[in-house]
Amino acid sequence: MRDLRVGFTYLLRGQRWVARHGKQYGFGLVPGLITLVLYVAALVALALWGADLVGWATPFADDWSSPWQGLFRGFLTVVLFALGLLLAVLTFTAVTLLIGDPFYESLSEKVDRDVSPDGTAPESGLSLARDLWISARDSVRILVRALVWAVLLFALGFIPVAGQTVVPVIGFFVTGFFLTEELTAVALQRRGVELRERLTLLRARKTLVWGFGTPLGLAFLVPFVAVFLMPGAVAGATLLARDLLGEEIREDGDEDGDEDAAGRTRYDDQSPETATP
C-alpha cells in the first residue's frame, strides 16, 4: 500500500513541477493537442461508420430475423467502439511522446537537474534521429504487448459477472502499467536503459507503478484531460524513474516531509538513501 501512495505522490509532484514552470508546461501541451485532434477524428469516424464496418464483417447475419440481427450487430458496434477507445487510451501516450520527443526530452532533463543533488542530468549522447528511432521501435513493441492484453481482456469480458466487474478493473491496472512504461521511458532511455531492463524494473515495483499509472489512466478517459496532464505526467515519471534506479531526489521545501542536512526529503518510514515523496 505504501508504494501505491508513493506512486500517486509522484504523479502529483509532477503536476506541481510543471505548474511552477509555466514555459515548459506550455511547450508540453503542443504534442498532446496534435495527438488529440488525430484521435478524436479517428473515434468520430468509428462512431459514424462503425455499424457499416460491423455489417460488412458479419455477412452471415444478413438473413437473420428481427430483432436478433439488430441486437447482434448493435452489440458488436458498441464493443468495437469500446475497443477503439481502449486502444486510444493505451496508445495515446506512445503517440504523443513520439510526436513530442524533443519537447519531453527537454522537460525530463530539466526535472532531473532540478531534483538532482548535484544539479546534473544524464544525457544519452545519441542524435535526435537515433533517439526517435529507438522510441518508435520500443513503442511498437509495447503496443504489441498492449494489443495482446486488449484482445485477452476483450475475450474475458464475455464471462458472466466477472467480465463486467473483475475484468474492467484488471484492464485499468494493465493500462496503468503500460502508461507508466511509456512515460518513464523518456528518462530511462536517456540513461541507456533498454526496454527489457525497463520492464524488469517496473515489474519489480508493480504497486509503485500502479499507484502512478492507474489513476492517470482513469483520468485519461475524461475528454481533453490527457492533453493537460501529459507534461506533468512526464515530469512525475522522471521522478519515478529516479526512484526505480535508486537515484536521490531532492526537492527543497517539499511540504510532505522534512529535509535532512543534504536537502533530501526524509520520511519517517524511509532511510535518507531511499527517500521518496
Side-chain angles (χ1 to χ4, degrees), residues 187-220:
L188 293 175
Q189 183 179 309
R190 189 157 35 83
R191 290 163 165 80
V193 182
E194 295 292 335
L195 176 60
R196 183 171 297 181
E197 297 173 79
R198 297 202 299 265
L199 290 173
T200 300
L201 284 171
L202 294 172
R203 287 166 181 156
R205 302 283 300 279
K206 287 190 184 74
T207 51
L208 178 69
V209 170
W210 289 333
F212 180 89
T214 303
L216 188 63
L218 289 168
F220 276 15

Side-chain angles (χ1 to χ4, degrees), residues 6-137:
V6 172
F8 184 65
T9 303
Y10 280 135
L11 181 59
L12 296 180
R13 285 182 63 178
Q15 302 304 322
R16 289 205 305 267
W17 191 93
V18 295
R20 296 196 305 267
H21 300 77
K23 186 177 180 180
Q24 296 300 316
Y25 180 69
F27 282 128
L29 289 177
V30 175
L33 288 171
I34 295 173
T35 308
L36 179 65
V37 170
L38 296 175
Y39 273 53
V40 167
L43 289 173
V44 168
L46 189 60
L48 292 175
W49 293 292
D52 294 335
L53 180 60
V54 168
W56 170 82
T58 58
F60 56 86
D62 287 343
D63 298 326
W64 288 14
S65 61
S66 179
W68 306 116
Q69 182 194 84
L71 289 174
F72 175 69
R73 286 180 170 170
F75 172 74
L76 289 183
T77 300
V78 172
V79 169
L80 178 64
F81 186 82
L83 185 59
L85 187 61
L86 175 61
L87 290 177
V89 173
L90 288 173
T91 61
F92 182 90
T93 301
V95 174
T96 302
L97 290 175
L98 188 60
I99 292 174
D101 187 77
F103 295 96
Y104 296 132
E105 283 285 349
S106 175
L107 189 155
S108 179
E109 285 185 21
K110 286 181 170 60
V111 173
D112 266 324
R113 292 193 184 97
D114 195 40
V115 303
S116 174
D118 58 6
T120 62
E123 297 181 3
S124 67
L126 302 175
S127 65
L128 176 60
R130 180 63 178 168
D131 268 333
L132 287 173
W133 162 248
I134 294 175
S135 295
R137 180 198 65 191

Side-chain angles (χ1 to χ4, degrees), residues 36 74 224 248:
L36 179 65
F224 308 112
E248 294 182 10

